[in-house]
């Protein structure tokens, strides 16, 4: 067999170098973004791209012109703040006094507002009740005045009617007395006797009517429906009717017995009495009727006054919503005063 000969060399430790030539781009395994703490314009870049750098090495310088201006401005602000601080320290006592005064004023305003609010709360129901009572009283006054007017009008009508009746009866009495006197002088006849009897019957009927009217007027007066003048008028009518009855009875007696000197004198006296009664009735018309009319005028004036009082009371009642508005305004004033006091105290806490 063939023998292969190989060279033998001693073993040694060394570095084996193997070179590979390739074309491409290098990319690091780790990227780091460089950011400054503040924004600014870059003045210098101190390393080249791809250069090896170490921790703490200065890489980029920023333009410091704006920063130096900011520092100068900040220093000026510090000096101004120090001046203001000094001024504040110097003006602190005056400021404290001013704030204390404002607190005291706010407290006084709050006390005043609360007092007004309490007064408004107390006044509101009182004014409302008073206004309502005023309206009710005014309406009652109108009812009273209307009743008084009706009574005065009824009295006026009664007085006028009664007075006219009295005058007519008195005129009839005068005519009858004069006729009776003529009959006495002339002498009685059967027809005259019958006529005298008829006159007695008429006079008796008038007396009965007068008695009934007098009783009616007394009942109305006791019930408050008519005035005292109506009763007095009815009483006068009754007295006249009674006198006329007496006169008629005397006339009948004279007719039956025949005329004597005394009878003639009595007949003449009857004429004078009848004429006096007529004058009295006419005088009553000129006195009682104007009084009754004046009572009606006074009652109308009282009714007008009562209506005016009702209108005034209704106007006062219409003012009650304004009183409630005043109460709301007073409550808002209290809230505003409390807010002002709280603000003053807050200002004190900031000193």
């Amino acid at each position: 067999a063939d023998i292969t000969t190989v060279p033998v060399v001693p073993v040694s430790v060394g570095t084996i170098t193997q070179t590979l030539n390739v074309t491409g781009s290098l990319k690091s395994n780790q990227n780091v973004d460089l950011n400054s703490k503040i924004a600014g314009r870059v003045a210098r870049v101190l390393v080249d791209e791809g250069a090896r750098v170490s921790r703490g090495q200065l890489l980029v310088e920023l333009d410091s012109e704006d920063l130096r201006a900011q520092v100068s401005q900040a220093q000026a602000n510090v000096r101004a703040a120090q001046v203001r601080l000094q001024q504040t320290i110097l003006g602190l006592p005056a400021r404290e006094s001013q704030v204390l005064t404002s607190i005291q004023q706010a407290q006084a305003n709050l006390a005043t507002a609360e007092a007004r609010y309490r007064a408004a709360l107390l006044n509101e129901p009182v004014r409302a009740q008073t206004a309502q009572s005023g309206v009710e009283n005014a309406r009652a006054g109108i009812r009273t005045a209307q009743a008084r007017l009706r009574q005065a009008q009824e009295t006026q009508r009664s007085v006028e009617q009664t007075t006219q009746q009295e005058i007519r009866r008195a005129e009839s009495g005068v005519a009858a007395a004069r006729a009776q006197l003529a009959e006495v002088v002339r002498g009685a006849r059967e027809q005259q006797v019958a006529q005298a009897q008829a006159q007695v019957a008429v006079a008796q009927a008038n007396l009965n009517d007068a008695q009934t009217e007098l009783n009616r007027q007394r009942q109305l007066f006791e019930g408050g429906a008519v005035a005292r003048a109506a009763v007095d008028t009815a009483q006068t009518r009754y007295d006249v009717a009674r006198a006329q009855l007496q006169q008629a009875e005397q006339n009948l007696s004279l007719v039956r017995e025949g005329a004597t000197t005394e009878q003639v004198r009595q007949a003449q006296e009857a004429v004078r009495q009848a004429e006096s009664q007529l004058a009295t009735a006419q005088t009553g018309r000129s006195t009682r009727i104007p009084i009754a009319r004046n009572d009606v005028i006074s009652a109308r004036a009282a009714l007008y006054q009562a209506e005016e009082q009702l209108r005034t009371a209704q106007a006062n009642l219409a003012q009650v919503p304004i009183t409630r508005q005043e109460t709301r305004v007073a409550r808002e004033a209290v809230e505003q005063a409390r807010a002002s006091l709280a603000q003053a105290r807050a200002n004190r806490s900031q000193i």
Side-chain angles (χ1 to χ4, degrees), residues 11-37:
V11 178
S12 62
V13 178
T15 300
I16 299 175
T17 301
Q18 185 177 3
T19 302
L20 177 64
N21 296 323
V22 295
T23 300
S25 300
L26 295 178
K27 184 178 181 181
S28 63
N29 294 328
Q30 183 178 2
N31 294 327
V32 177
D33 293 331
L34 297 179
N35 295 313
S36 62
K37 292 183 179 180

Side-chain angles (χ1 to χ4, degrees), residues 73-93:
Q73 181 63 41
Q75 291 173 346
N77 293 338
V78 169
R79 288 191 296 271
Q82 290 174 343
V83 172
R84 288 195 299 270
L85 175 60
Q86 187 64 26
Q87 291 176 348
T88 303
I89 293 173
L90 293 176
L92 184 60

Side-chain angles (χ1 to χ4, degrees), residues 6-223:
V6 296
V8 177
V9 295
V11 178
S12 62
V13 178
T15 300
I16 299 175
T17 301
Q18 185 177 3
T19 302
L20 177 64
N21 296 323
V22 295
T23 300
S25 300
L26 295 178
K27 184 178 181 181
S28 63
N29 294 328
Q30 183 178 2
N31 294 327
V32 177
D33 293 331
L34 297 179
N35 295 313
S36 62
K37 292 183 179 180
I38 60 175
R41 183 174 60 86
V42 176
R44 286 192 309 163
V45 179
L46 302 179
V47 295
D48 295 328
E49 184 178 357
R52 184 181 296 276
V53 295
S54 60
R55 181 187 296 273
Q57 182 180 348
L58 182 60
L59 304 179
V60 178
E61 286 185 356
L62 298 178
D63 188 2
S64 62
E65 185 66 26
D66 293 339
L67 296 176
R68 284 194 295 269
Q70 293 177 4
V71 170
S72 298
Q73 181 63 41
Q75 291 173 346
N77 293 338
V78 169
R79 288 191 296 271
Q82 290 174 343
V83 172
R84 288 195 299 270
L85 175 60
Q86 187 64 26
Q87 291 176 348
T88 303
I89 293 173
L90 293 176
L92 184 60
R95 176 62 177 170
E96 290 180 345
S97 177
Q98 181 180 1
V99 171
L100 180 60
T101 301
S102 64
I103 291 176
Q104 293 173 349
Q105 182 65 39
Q107 290 174 339
N109 293 338
L110 177 59
T112 301
E114 288 177 342
R116 290 177 179 175
Y117 179 53
R118 288 192 296 271
L121 287 177
L122 294 175
N123 188 38
E124 178 180 338
V126 173
R127 288 188 62 179
Q129 183 178 2
T130 302
Q132 185 64 40
S133 299
V135 171
E136 294 175 357
N137 293 336
R139 287 174 177 168
I142 287 180
R143 290 192 294 270
T144 301
Q146 290 173 341
R148 178 185 172 187
L149 177 59
R150 288 193 297 269
Q151 178 180 346
Q153 291 172 336
E154 177 64 26
T155 301
Q156 179 185 356
R157 286 191 293 269
S158 176
V159 169
E160 290 177 347
Q161 180 180 2
T162 304
T163 302
Q164 293 299 328
Q165 291 174 354
E166 290 176 356
I167 292 175
R168 287 193 294 270
R169 284 194 296 268
E171 289 174 345
S172 300
V174 170
R178 288 174 181 174
Q180 181 65 30
L181 176 60
E183 291 294 333
V184 169
V185 173
R186 193 170 48 243
R189 297 189 298 270
E190 293 182 0
Q191 294 86 347
Q192 294 173 337
V193 173
Q195 183 180 5
Q197 291 174 342
Q199 290 176 350
V200 170
V202 171
Q204 182 64 53
N206 290 336
L207 179 61
N208 294 336
D209 291 341
Q211 180 67 55
T212 301
E213 177 66 16
L214 178 59
N215 293 335
R216 188 178 73 86
Q217 293 296 334
R218 285 175 177 174
Q219 292 177 354
L220 292 175
F221 174 72
E222 292 175 356

